[in-house]
Amino acid sequence: MPELPEVETVRRGLLPAMEGQVIALAQVNRADLRWPFPPQMAERLTGARVLRLRRRSKYILADLSTDETLLIHLGMSGRMLISGDLLGAFHHDHPAPQKHDHVVLTMQNGARVTFNDARRFGAMDMFPTATAEAHPLLAALGPEPLGNAFDEAYLSARLKGRNTPIKSALLDQHIVAGLGNIYVCETLYRAGISPKKKAGELTVKRASALVPIIRDVLTEAIEAGGSSLRDYRQADGELGYFQHTFQVYGREGEPCRTPGCTSQIDRIVQSGRSSFYCPTCQR
Ligand SMILES: [Zn+2]
């Protein structure tokens, strides 16, 4: 499941192909993914210029010259592939159409952007740009973790009095948008906070300290994704999936990496999701 850094990496990879460019031809090869596509999606996209390609939480939003916005959600298995010669040194011939190429955008600059999704948990929608913030997928989202509205005072206030574990609170998309299981585990390890700690029992100091740590964890992952883009382009034009080294995520039973700590990383299940943490370093 791509998390915020992966989605941001995909967005950045799409920028040279799409932003400022006209969609010369949109091909929509089926009626739905997770949900039905909006009516006449191919017709509404063809001829439109992408004014801005932005991200909100895990959604990519293309604001179009037609005053509509195209929302792209990768879901579990959605992949974006770029081919064509706009990538300079990283030329990719347009590949033969694959079975799960559901939407293909041929840009006027010669790039081709393909949305491929074998499991079809992804989604696309279109709506007036002016109403984007009211879209059902976007309306209830909390602030962006890398945005100015997400600061120490905000997070402390939202955690105050909350009886849920801090792990669950940080996964709550109403509190902060786009944080997923992997990066919450990594954040709590770096903060030295147990995932079981009740959110409302954190001191203001410890709650506030989470803000720069969340920003750092996400920023580092985005930077890792950026440096992987070149490799992926060289490989096959696919954007967004890259190998990380995690400190705790996926490391159950392995030694804690904190210098001097002799504990092993533990795994517990909270709200149906695995939490990886060091029982000694995280309190
Ligand atoms: Zn430890």
Side-chain angles (χ1 to χ4, degrees):
M1 177 78 118
E3 292 203 17
L4 187 155
E6 288 80 12
V7 176
E8 177 63 16
T9 299
V10 170
R11 185 190 74 86
R12 292 182 184 189
L14 290 173
L15 279 175
M18 292 185 73
E19 195 168 75
Q21 303 298 326
V22 171
I23 301 169
L25 180 66
Q27 294 164 273
V28 179
N29 297 328
R30 54 177 298 121
D32 59 7
L33 290 174
R34 184 170 184 173
W35 299 299
F37 286 127
Q40 279 86 49
M41 188 167 90
E43 292 83 350
R44 286 156 74 184
L45 288 173
T46 298
R49 184 181 295 276
V50 178
L51 301 179
R52 195 155 81 105
L53 198 66
R54 57 194 171 104
R55 180 188 53 75
R56 177 76 169 108
S57 184
K58 298 175 197 171
Y59 305 102
I60 294 171
L61 300 172
D63 295 334
L64 306 173
S65 56
T66 52
D67 294 330
E68 290 199 290
T69 291
L70 170 69
L71 176 148
I72 303 169
H73 182 41
L74 299 173
M76 305 277 285
S77 56
R79 304 183 303 146
M80 303 294 289
L81 297 115
I82 296 184
S83 54
D85 57 5
L86 82 161
L87 301 172
F90 307 115
H91 175 91
H92 290 280
D93 291 329
H94 293 312
Q98 301 294 307
K99 185 176 178 193
H100 302 291
D101 289 352
H102 303 310
V103 176
V104 181
L105 305 178
T106 302
M107 310 301 294
Q108 219 164 49
N109 59 6
R112 182 185 291 174
V113 176
T114 300
F115 186 88
N116 178 293
D117 188 355
R119 296 174 67 189
R120 301 203 303 269
F121 285 114
M124 286 194 190
D125 199 3
M126 290 183 74
F127 39 82
T129 302
T131 66
E133 293 302 313
H135 188 275
L137 291 172
L138 308 180
L141 291 175
E144 286 291 315
L146 298 175
N148 292 334
F150 183 71
D151 63 13
E152 284 82 352
Y154 168 83
L155 186 61
S156 301
R158 291 304 303 267
L159 298 181
K160 194 179 172 191
R162 203 169 280 264
N163 207 28
T164 53
I166 183 64
K167 170 82 185 306
S168 309
L170 293 179
L171 285 175
D172 183 342
Q173 301 297 299
H174 300 91
I175 294 179
V176 55
L179 269 191
N181 198 39
I182 294 174
Y183 295 103
V184 169
C185 289
E186 295 295 304
T187 292
L188 291 175
Y189 168 74
R190 206 176 283 195
I193 296 173
S194 166
K196 294 182 284 191
K197 182 86 179 171
K198 292 236 170 59
E201 290 176 359
L202 285 173
T203 61
V204 170
K205 189 179 173 189
R206 295 187 88 197
S208 298
L210 282 166
V211 171
I213 292 172
I214 288 169
R215 291 179 187 272
D216 286 350
V217 164
L218 293 176
T219 301
E220 288 167 22
I222 290 168
E223 283 167 3
S227 52
S228 79
L229 270 181
R230 191 178 318 164
D231 301 334
Y232 274 97
R233 285 178 183 174
Q234 284 171 325
D236 61 2
E238 179 175 341
L239 301 174
Y241 295 85
F242 46 90
Q243 293 296 316
H244 286 300
T245 47
F246 298 119
Q247 298 302 314
V248 287
Y249 185 82
R251 297 190 64 241
E252 181 183 11
E254 294 178 34
C256 175
R257 288 185 173 146
T258 302
C261 179
T262 55
S263 292
Q264 296 179 340
I265 302 305
D266 204 356
R267 182 179 75 91
I268 56 171
V269 176
Q270 295 177 286
S271 309
R273 315 288 304 275
S274 287
S275 296
F276 298 89
Y277 73 109
C278 174
T280 301
C281 296
Q282 294 177 247
R283 297 287 177 166

